Amino acid sequence: MLKNNIEVKVKCIEADTTQAKLAENIGTTPSYVNRLIKKSENIVNKTFIQMLESLGYDIELTYVQRSNG
């Protein structure tokens, strides 16, 4: 499962950027980027995709049936 807080924080570190700079790059506020990262739910929305694209990543979703075990 995709974890926003881990993925975006790690990718910011790898790209040597800040959440504020990331927000500026995609045209949103630092507080909104922070809210998405800190959210306990796993979400994929337009802004989250823009954040990862701004960091140089594409998102691939794969659906795998869960085992009922």
Side-chain angles (χ1 to χ4, degrees):
M1 195 156 248
L2 189 63
K3 300 288 186 190
N4 294 355
N5 57 348
I6 296 170
E7 292 295 327
V8 175
K9 285 182 180 181
V10 168
K11 300 308 180 197
C12 281
I13 291 168
E14 290 174 353
D16 194 31
T17 194
T18 64
Q19 292 176 28
K21 182 65 178 164
L22 179 59
E24 180 183 320
N25 290 347
I26 64 171
T28 193
T29 63
S31 61
Y32 186 61
V33 167
N34 189 46
R35 190 172 352 136
L36 287 178
I37 291 171
K38 288 190 172 193
K39 231 173 162 55
S40 61
E41 299 90 33
N42 298 311
I43 59 158
V44 175
N45 68 15
K46 180 181 176 185
T47 303
F48 181 73
I49 291 169
Q50 287 175 322
M51 289 174 5
L52 284 175
E53 285 178 341
S54 176
L55 292 167
Y57 291 87
D58 289 323
I59 294 177
E60 295 179 4
L61 296 176
T62 303
Y63 292 91
V64 180
Q65 188 170 3
R66 291 183 207 145
S67 62
N68 292 330

